[in-house]
Each structure stands twice: as structure tokens, then as C-alpha cells.
Amino acid sequence: KKHDDHDDHDDHEGHAHGEHDPHAWLSPQIAKVWLNVIAAKLSEVDPDNAAKYFLNANSARNNVDSLVSEVNSILDPMRDKKFVVFHDAYQYFENRFGIKVLGALTVNPDVLPGAGQLSEIREVIEHEKVNCLFSEPQFNPAIIKSIAKDTKIKTGVLDPLGATLDKGKNMYSELLQSMY
């Protein structure tokens, strides 16, 4: 499925995009807004530490700005590469960092692509000279392996949930850094 514009599939079986896209954490701009909201909510519950919450939020915003610069510089040599992903989960990241994803095997990861869609993806991979096909650790990679074998395309793994990352204060940075 081509992704020249993402407006053609705003809602797919509970997997909505647009203002309710469930993958909003992949946008550093949105993450920075959330930092203020979290600090405000924590301050309501624990007013004695409100100043600390807002200081931490400010520090985290600065860290996000630095992270965006780092990710941009690392992605510079990859901006002209073409990718296909397992499911349509990367719009916020794509838009912020200027990465072009040509297609997704599925919009809803609970519904595997049919034979027709797989055939279309194979055609896109071959016609567009796609560089890499990305799977996700939460889903069975059999389809990815089959397509890779048929098309001799490189494969990789992207984890938009950060499920394999250590939980802690550096998790968000590690999540965005793992997206390339």
C-alpha cells in the first residue's frame, strides 16, 4: 500500500490516525507537550514538589531538543532510502524526521495482509527498489521472511513500543535512537 499521503486511511478497526494516532509518542514535539502536562498533573497531586516537577520537565524538553538534532544528523544519509514497514505505526516519526516509508504490510497489526496485498507489496519493493523491510518484535516475522526471501531485500527490526528497552529515564531517548 503506497503512503504518498496518509489521509486515505484515517480509521481502520480501532487503529485510528490523525489527532488520535496511538503512536503519538514517536513525535518529539508531542512528547515535549506531554512533559508539561505530566508536570502539571504531578504538581496537583504533590504541590510541595511542583517546582521540581517543572524543572525536570524543562530539563527533559532540552534533552528532547538535543535528541532531535542527534537523530536528524544520523538520519541524513538515509533520507533518500526507501522502506516498507510491518504496520503503519511511524507517521509521527516519518513526518518529524523526513523519512519516506513507501508502504506498510498492514494498518492494523491484528489483521494480517492477504495474498493480494502481499503481491502489491512485492511489486512496490521491486519497482521502487526498496532498501529495507522492517518487522516488529511483537509480531510473527514469517511474512517478512517470506517477502525477503522472494525479493532478496534486506530486513531489520523496529520496535515502536520500546518493548525490548530498559525502563528508566533514558528510555525515550533510546526509543527514538532505535528507530534508525
Side-chain angles (χ1 to χ4, degrees):
K1 179 171 189 150
K2 287 205 101 68
H3 275 79
D4 292 332
D5 126 13
H6 296 284
D7 293 335
D8 63 338
H9 56 269
D10 287 337
D11 188 20
H12 298 278
E13 299 180 38
H15 191 86
H17 292 102
E19 84 178 4
H20 301 292
D21 187 337
H23 307 98
W25 61 88
L26 293 177
S27 166
Q29 294 94 324
I30 291 173
K32 287 171 56 173
V33 170
W34 288 348
L35 288 166
N36 283 338
V37 172
I38 292 167
K41 290 296 181 183
L42 289 171
S43 296
E44 286 176 17
V45 175
D46 181 15
D48 293 342
N49 288 306
K52 185 175 185 177
Y53 296 132
F54 283 102
L55 277 172
N56 287 343
N58 187 51
S59 175
R61 277 192 307 281
N62 291 335
N63 289 341
V64 169
D65 288 339
S66 297
L67 177 63
V68 167
S69 294
E70 176 187 336
V71 171
N72 266 320
S73 66
I74 291 169
L75 288 175
D76 279 342
M78 294 181 237
R79 294 201 199 280
D80 63 340
K81 305 293 183 202
K82 298 174 183 176
F83 308 98
V84 172
V85 294
F86 176 75
H87 97 281
D88 192 15
Y90 306 94
Q91 292 177 41
Y92 285 107
F93 190 85
E94 292 171 47
N95 292 335
R96 174 57 187 94
F97 293 105
I99 297 299
K100 181 70 174 160
V101 172
L102 287 179
L105 296 182
T106 184
V107 174
N108 180 346
D110 296 326
V111 179
L112 294 177
Q117 188 178 1
L118 289 173
S119 178
E120 288 176 26
I121 289 292
R122 284 182 176 98
E123 286 179 30
V124 167
I125 288 170
E126 291 172 2
H127 182 263
E128 298 292 332
K129 296 181 175 49
V130 172
N131 298 91
C132 193
L133 174 61
F134 289 100
S135 63
E136 295 178 25
Q138 297 85 2
F139 303 104
N140 185 335
I143 291 173
I144 302 290
K145 288 178 182 175
S146 172
I147 293 171
K149 182 180 175 188
D150 293 347
T151 61
K152 297 181 178 38
I153 188 173
K154 293 178 186 174
T155 61
V157 177
L158 293 176
D159 183 7
L161 301 178
T164 61
L165 299 175
D166 291 333
K167 311 308 179 244
K169 70 178 187 172
N170 295 324
M171 186 179 175
Y172 187 70
S173 295
E174 291 170 7
L175 175 67
L176 287 190
Q177 290 166 338
S178 72
M179 299 304 291
Y180 48 80

Tab-separated table of all heavy atoms in Angstrom, residues 57-87:
chain	number	residue	atom	x	y	z
A	57	ALA	N	10.804	18.675	33.926
A	57	ALA	CA	10.162	18.746	32.609
A	57	ALA	C	10.957	19.648	31.672
A	57	ALA	O	11.160	19.322	30.495
A	57	ALA	CB	8.723	19.238	32.745
A	58	ASN	N	11.433	20.776	32.182
A	58	ASN	CA	12.227	21.692	31.368
A	58	ASN	C	13.532	21.020	30.921
A	58	ASN	O	13.936	21.121	29.763
A	58	ASN	CB	12.517	22.976	32.138
A	58	ASN	CG	13.183	24.007	31.263
A	58	ASN	OD1	12.703	24.318	30.177
A	58	ASN	ND2	14.308	24.533	31.728
A	59	SER	N	14.180	20.334	31.843
A	59	SER	CA	15.414	19.616	31.510
A	59	SER	C	15.140	18.545	30.456
A	59	SER	O	15.911	18.386	29.500
A	59	SER	CB	15.989	18.980	32.776
A	59	SER	OG	17.107	18.187	32.472
A	60	ALA	N	14.052	17.825	30.610
A	60	ALA	CA	13.705	16.778	29.645
A	60	ALA	C	13.404	17.373	28.274
A	60	ALA	O	13.794	16.805	27.248
A	60	ALA	CB	12.521	15.963	30.150
A	61	ARG	N	12.745	18.541	28.227
A	61	ARG	CA	12.481	19.211	26.938
A	61	ARG	C	13.787	19.562	26.249
A	61	ARG	O	13.939	19.377	25.040
A	61	ARG	CB	11.613	20.458	27.131
A	61	ARG	CG	10.134	20.157	27.199
A	61	ARG	CD	9.286	21.412	27.090
A	61	ARG	NE	9.651	22.449	28.043
A	61	ARG	CZ	9.286	22.452	29.325
A	61	ARG	NH1	8.544	21.483	29.808
A	61	ARG	NH2	9.655	23.424	30.118
A	62	ASN	N	14.750	20.073	27.017
A	62	ASN	CA	16.056	20.382	26.436
A	62	ASN	C	16.736	19.122	25.912
A	62	ASN	O	17.375	19.133	24.858
A	62	ASN	CB	16.952	21.078	27.459
A	62	ASN	CG	16.471	22.472	27.786
A	62	ASN	OD1	15.794	23.122	26.985
A	62	ASN	ND2	16.799	22.952	28.965
A	63	ASN	N	16.592	18.021	26.652
A	63	ASN	CA	17.161	16.752	26.197
A	63	ASN	C	16.496	16.282	24.903
A	63	ASN	O	17.165	15.741	24.019
A	63	ASN	CB	17.031	15.673	27.275
A	63	ASN	CG	17.944	15.918	28.454
A	63	ASN	OD1	18.913	16.660	28.374
A	63	ASN	ND2	17.611	15.293	29.575
A	64	VAL	N	15.195	16.491	24.787
A	64	VAL	CA	14.489	16.108	23.567
A	64	VAL	C	14.994	16.937	22.391
A	64	VAL	O	15.208	16.412	21.296
A	64	VAL	CB	12.958	16.228	23.736
A	64	VAL	CG1	12.238	16.087	22.391
A	64	VAL	CG2	12.445	15.175	24.713
A	65	ASP	N	15.218	18.226	22.601
A	65	ASP	CA	15.758	19.075	21.531
A	65	ASP	C	17.117	18.556	21.065
A	65	ASP	O	17.381	18.482	19.860
A	65	ASP	CB	15.887	20.526	21.994
A	65	ASP	CG	14.535	21.216	22.132
A	65	ASP	OD1	13.553	20.755	21.511
A	65	ASP	OD2	14.467	22.218	22.873
A	66	SER	N	17.973	18.197	21.997
A	66	SER	CA	19.284	17.648	21.644
A	66	SER	C	19.135	16.314	20.914
A	66	SER	O	19.848	16.036	19.945
A	66	SER	CB	20.148	17.441	22.892
A	66	SER	OG	20.410	18.665	23.514
A	67	LEU	N	18.209	15.508	21.370
A	67	LEU	CA	17.953	14.212	20.756
A	67	LEU	C	17.487	14.385	19.309
A	67	LEU	O	17.931	13.658	18.419
A	67	LEU	CB	16.912	13.453	21.567
A	67	LEU	CG	16.469	12.095	21.039
A	67	LEU	CD1	17.637	11.112	21.016
A	67	LEU	CD2	15.342	11.552	21.912
A	68	VAL	N	16.622	15.338	19.061
A	68	VAL	CA	16.133	15.599	17.700
A	68	VAL	C	17.306	15.960	16.792
A	68	VAL	O	17.413	15.448	15.666
A	68	VAL	CB	15.055	16.702	17.693
A	68	VAL	CG1	14.782	17.210	16.283
A	68	VAL	CG2	13.778	16.185	18.330
A	69	SER	N	18.199	16.794	17.265
A	69	SER	CA	19.375	17.153	16.468
A	69	SER	C	20.236	15.935	16.180
A	69	SER	O	20.703	15.737	15.052
A	69	SER	CB	20.219	18.205	17.195
A	69	SER	OG	19.504	19.403	17.299
A	70	GLU	N	20.430	15.099	17.187
A	70	GLU	CA	21.237	13.887	17.019
A	70	GLU	C	20.600	12.939	16.013
A	70	GLU	O	21.263	12.437	15.096
A	70	GLU	CB	21.394	13.177	18.366
A	70	GLU	CG	22.135	11.863	18.286
A	70	GLU	CD	22.109	11.109	19.607
A	70	GLU	OE1	21.944	11.733	20.674
A	70	GLU	OE2	22.252	9.876	19.557
A	71	VAL	N	19.302	12.685	16.150
A	71	VAL	CA	18.608	11.771	15.252
A	71	VAL	C	18.634	12.329	13.826
A	71	VAL	O	18.882	11.597	12.865
A	71	VAL	CB	17.167	11.490	15.736
A	71	VAL	CG1	16.369	10.728	14.688
A	71	VAL	CG2	17.189	10.723	17.054
A	72	ASN	N	18.403	13.627	13.674
A	72	ASN	CA	18.456	14.244	12.344
A	72	ASN	C	19.803	14.033	11.679
A	72	ASN	O	19.881	13.688	10.501
A	72	ASN	CB	18.149	15.746	12.422
A	72	ASN	CG	16.699	16.034	12.168
A	72	ASN	OD1	16.071	15.431	11.310
A	72	ASN	ND2	16.155	16.963	12.919
A	73	SER	N	20.880	14.243	12.416
A	73	SER	CA	22.202	14.092	11.798
A	73	SER	C	22.497	12.641	11.441
A	73	SER	O	23.113	12.365	10.414
A	73	SER	CB	23.295	14.677	12.698
A	73	SER	OG	23.414	13.934	13.885
A	74	ILE	N	22.021	11.714	12.237
A	74	ILE	CA	22.246	10.300	11.934
A	74	ILE	C	21.403	9.861	10.740
A	74	ILE	O	21.831	9.047	9.924
A	74	ILE	CB	21.968	9.427	13.177
A	74	ILE	CG1	23.057	9.707	14.220
A	74	ILE	CG2	21.924	7.952	12.833
A	74	ILE	CD1	22.792	9.125	15.580
A	75	LEU	N	20.212	10.427	10.613
A	75	LEU	CA	19.319	10.036	9.519
A	75	LEU	C	19.659	10.704	8.192
A	75	LEU	O	19.192	10.247	7.146
A	75	LEU	CB	17.866	10.352	9.889
A	75	LEU	CG	17.250	9.458	10.952
A	75	LEU	CD1	15.855	9.959	11.305
A	75	LEU	CD2	17.202	8.011	10.510
A	76	ASP	N	20.469	11.751	8.204
A	76	ASP	CA	20.777	12.466	6.964
A	76	ASP	C	21.171	11.542	5.811
A	76	ASP	O	20.624	11.668	4.714
A	76	ASP	CB	21.845	13.544	7.192
A	76	ASP	CG	21.252	14.811	7.766
A	76	ASP	OD1	20.023	14.998	7.678
A	76	ASP	OD2	22.022	15.623	8.314
A	77	PRO	N	22.089	10.596	6.010
A	77	PRO	CA	22.462	9.747	4.865
A	77	PRO	C	21.375	8.753	4.447
A	77	PRO	O	21.483	8.117	3.407
A	77	PRO	CB	23.698	8.987	5.354
A	77	PRO	CG	23.901	9.319	6.774
A	77	PRO	CD	22.911	10.356	7.180
A	78	MET	N	20.309	8.637	5.229
A	78	MET	CA	19.261	7.657	4.922
A	78	MET	C	18.001	8.279	4.339
A	78	MET	O	17.061	7.566	4.012
A	78	MET	CB	18.896	6.892	6.203
A	78	MET	CG	20.015	6.034	6.715
A	78	MET	SD	19.497	5.171	8.196
A	78	MET	CE	20.752	5.746	9.332
A	79	ARG	N	17.969	9.580	4.200
A	79	ARG	CA	16.731	10.243	3.783
A	79	ARG	C	16.276	9.850	2.383
A	79	ARG	O	15.103	9.919	2.071
A	79	ARG	CB	16.874	11.748	3.887
A	79	ARG	CG	17.036	12.163	5.335
A	79	ARG	CD	16.680	13.593	5.568
A	79	ARG	NE	17.266	14.048	6.809
A	79	ARG	CZ	16.762	13.808	8.004
A	79	ARG	NH1	15.665	13.118	8.132
A	79	ARG	NH2	17.360	14.263	9.081
A	80	ASP	N	17.194	9.448	1.527
A	80	ASP	CA	16.795	9.056	0.176
A	80	ASP	C	16.540	7.556	0.045
A	80	ASP	O	16.203	7.067	-1.020
A	80	ASP	CB	17.852	9.487	-0.838
A	80	ASP	CG	19.197	8.804	-0.616
A	80	ASP	OD1	19.444	8.310	0.502
A	80	ASP	OD2	19.998	8.771	-1.563
A	81	LYS	N	16.666	6.814	1.137
A	81	LYS	CA	16.413	5.374	1.124
A	81	LYS	C	14.910	5.117	1.183
A	81	LYS	O	14.132	5.947	1.643
A	81	LYS	CB	17.100	4.672	2.299
A	81	LYS	CG	18.589	4.933	2.398
A	81	LYS	CD	19.337	4.341	1.254
A	81	LYS	CE	20.829	4.571	1.450
A	81	LYS	NZ	21.564	4.512	0.234
A	82	LYS	N	14.519	3.940	0.719
A	82	LYS	CA	13.093	3.586	0.681
A	82	LYS	C	12.860	2.382	1.581
A	82	LYS	O	13.605	1.408	1.529
A	82	LYS	CB	12.680	3.285	-0.748
A	82	LYS	CG	12.855	4.488	-1.662
A	82	LYS	CD	12.581	4.127	-3.096
A	82	LYS	CE	12.831	5.343	-3.989
A	82	LYS	NZ	12.676	4.998	-5.397
A	83	PHE	N	11.779	2.451	2.381
A	83	PHE	CA	11.490	1.423	3.373
A	83	PHE	C	10.046	0.957	3.281
A	83	PHE	O	9.165	1.711	2.886
A	83	PHE	CB	11.702	1.977	4.792
A	83	PHE	CG	13.042	2.623	4.996
A	83	PHE	CD1	13.179	3.998	4.918
A	83	PHE	CD2	14.158	1.861	5.265
A	83	PHE	CE1	14.411	4.601	5.107
A	83	PHE	CE2	15.392	2.450	5.455
A	83	PHE	CZ	15.521	3.823	5.381
A	84	VAL	N	9.831	-0.279	3.696
A	84	VAL	CA	8.490	-0.813	3.908
A	84	VAL	C	8.486	-1.331	5.340
A	84	VAL	O	9.459	-1.932	5.801
A	84	VAL	CB	8.154	-1.949	2.911
A	84	VAL	CG1	6.842	-2.621	3.268
A	84	VAL	CG2	8.094	-1.396	1.489
A	85	VAL	N	7.399	-1.077	6.053
A	85	VAL	CA	7.309	-1.462	7.461
A	85	VAL	C	6.208	-2.494	7.658
A	85	VAL	O	5.339	-2.664	6.797
A	85	VAL	CB	7.059	-0.229	8.365
A	85	VAL	CG1	8.256	0.705	8.338
A	85	VAL	CG2	5.790	0.504	7.963
A	86	PHE	N	6.247	-3.176	8.797
A	86	PHE	CA	5.244	-4.195	9.084
A	86	PHE	C	3.862	-3.577	9.216
A	86	PHE	O	2.909	-4.015	8.612
A	86	PHE	CB	5.588	-4.975	10.358
A	86	PHE	CG	4.519	-5.966	10.722
A	86	PHE	CD1	4.380	-7.146	10.012
A	86	PHE	CD2	3.622	-5.705	11.743
A	86	PHE	CE1	3.374	-8.048	10.312
A	86	PHE	CE2	2.611	-6.603	12.058
A	86	PHE	CZ	2.489	-7.780	11.344
A	87	HIS	N	3.756	-2.548	10.069
A	87	HIS	CA	2.449	-1.903	10.188
A	87	HIS	C	2.597	-0.403	10.281
A	87	HIS	O	3.655	0.122	10.576
A	87	HIS	CB	1.618	-2.531	11.316
A	87	HIS	CG	1.623	-1.850	12.643
A	87	HIS	ND1	2.641	-1.969	13.545
A	87	HIS	CD2	0.688	-1.058	13.220
A	87	HIS	CE1	2.338	-1.274	14.631
A	87	HIS	NE2	1.173	-0.712	14.466
